Amino acid sequence: MLRVGINGYGTIGKRVADAVRAQPDMEVVGVAKTRPNFEAERAVAKDYPLYAAIEDRVELFDDAGIELAGMVEELVEESDVIVDACPSGVGEQNSELYAEHDTPALYQGGESAEFVDTSFNARSNFADAVGADHVRVVSCNTTGLSRLIAPLGEEYGVEKVRATLVRRGGDPAQSSRGPINDILPDPVTLPSHHGPDVQTIFPDLAIDTLGLKVPATLMHMHSVNVTLEAEPDAAAVRDLLADESRLFVIPERFDIDGAGALKEYAQDAGRPRGDIWENCVWGESVTTEGSDLYLFQAIHQESDVVPENVDAIRAVANAADAAESVATTDDALGMGI
Ligand code: NAD
């Protein structure tokens, strides 16, 4: 059994903990928190040993009547792999701690790509992370684009990707984020950081990305144009994408017109927290004009990176190859909505 610790138990960390627990070859050693908030209360209810991330705050847990299993240093020492899901930038600060304990670590997409051995997407470059010490699981948007580009590149060759990313202003619980009533080019200059980020996975890819931020919390929406090196018909592309376990090609008959209906569907399907781990590609949007492919896809920002973290754990531990790992993760989670 791979022993996995999670440092930072917020939006991403709590989902990764549950996904790790669901795997047949992994166990959660514990999770580290900075404060005894509602998420700490739920971690205790789920029997995750709770570690304090900051020494000065131990008293707060004592006052809340929450028993701690120890300090984060002990969690790191006891783990075969640590998943850092702290706010952007904190992971890099923590990287020294992980190195001191010789514990391989995963970081999230908000971290810089500079200090890690490799960035990671299971479908695209699993092998690059095998045996690595510091691996960054790329952001929700980069994960969504990488999953799409990998099969298109293998099947047809990709000449150029152009993507406009309509991004949610914040996650549902991020009450301080916005905009509340606006539409922001974000950034107003081109390209947005997403294109260069995708190049951490596909270094030679020609890609331009534009970003906007809108008053929404449910999902991101991508409008994608890929110039292929072949001229497939739309039905063939649709079939290719539908064969990918982490791409959900939404059937027209579902009558899903946007992110709201998608989230409703996920809840109806009994997904934990209403999560959608798959890219959601509108089947009717898949259109070809010669070698140009167009489509819309929605990305559930809070959860699409979760299976990727699980695969990255196996990669750094050299515990499976890409196909085995993805199959195990998918089976354990119930991928395929
Ligand atoms: P979050 O704020 O929901 O969770 C972070 C958690 O870490 C919080 O519980 C916070 O209290 C805790 N924390 C802060 N400092 C800490 C420390 N020193 N030690 C331990 N815990 C600490 O953030 P999130 O949305 O889960 O984002 C985490 C990372 O995942 C970021 O790099 C982010 O860019 C990336 N990411 C986020 C999303 C998303 O949509 N939420 C999607 C993909 C990737």
Side-chain angles (χ1 to χ4, degrees), residues 29-250:
V29 182
V31 305
K33 288 268 329 151
T34 53
R35 57 202 168 111
N37 70 348
F38 74 95
E39 284 159 330
E41 190 270 338
R42 292 318 302 162
V44 172
K46 287 177 178 235
D47 284 331
Y48 290 132
L50 196 63
Y51 291 76
I54 299 173
E55 187 130 36
D56 298 350
R57 306 256 186 100
V58 167
E59 216 173 281
L60 296 178
F61 290 91
D62 291 344
D63 293 349
I66 293 179
E67 201 179 321
L68 290 170
M71 290 300 304
V72 66
E73 289 78 8
E74 294 164 77
L75 174 64
V76 175
E77 180 58 35
E78 284 168 30
S79 301
D80 297 324
V81 179
I82 195 98
V83 179
D84 186 295
C86 292
S88 306
V90 177
E92 183 169 1
Q93 292 165 21
N94 289 337
S95 61
E96 245 173 68
L97 168 69
Y98 309 143
E100 274 166 27
H101 291 267
D102 254 341
T103 306
L106 309 184
Y107 305 89
Q108 306 306 312
E111 300 297 330
S112 148
E114 300 303 314
F115 77 98
V116 293
D117 302 323
T118 184
S119 293
F120 179 88
N121 170 251
R123 177 64 179 81
S124 315
N125 71 337
F126 186 100
D128 292 351
V130 171
D133 289 325
H134 300 278
V135 170
R136 183 180 74 116
V137 175
V138 289
S139 74
C140 46
N141 282 311
T142 303
T143 295
L145 288 169
S146 300
R147 284 177 180 168
L148 186 67
I149 291 162
L152 293 172
E154 284 166 16
E155 187 70 16
Y156 306 118
V158 167
E159 198 179 300
K160 171 117 189 171
V161 178
R162 298 171 186 85
T164 301
L165 282 60
V166 181
R167 296 150 62 212
R168 57 85 176 106
D171 294 339
Q174 288 178 312
S175 50
S176 59
R177 301 259 303 237
I180 290 175
N181 180 22
D182 212 339
I183 303 169
L184 309 178
D186 181 52
V188 76
T189 52
L190 272 65
S192 69
H193 72 272
H194 306 93
D197 204 38
V198 172
Q199 287 164 332
T200 67
I201 301 292
F202 302 98
D204 301 324
L205 182 74
I207 178 166
D208 290 337
T209 53
L210 296 82
L212 295 114
K213 245 196 314 190
V214 296
T217 62
L218 299 179
M219 298 180 85
H220 300 300
M221 190 75 72
H222 296 175
S223 162
V224 184
N225 163 220
V226 183
T227 305
L228 301 166
E229 289 170 358
E231 298 193 5
D233 65 28
V237 177
R238 221 172 279 131
D239 289 347
L240 175 77
L241 301 183
D243 276 348
E244 293 285 314
S245 70
R246 295 181 185 174
L247 299 183
F248 167 45
V249 179
I250 308 165

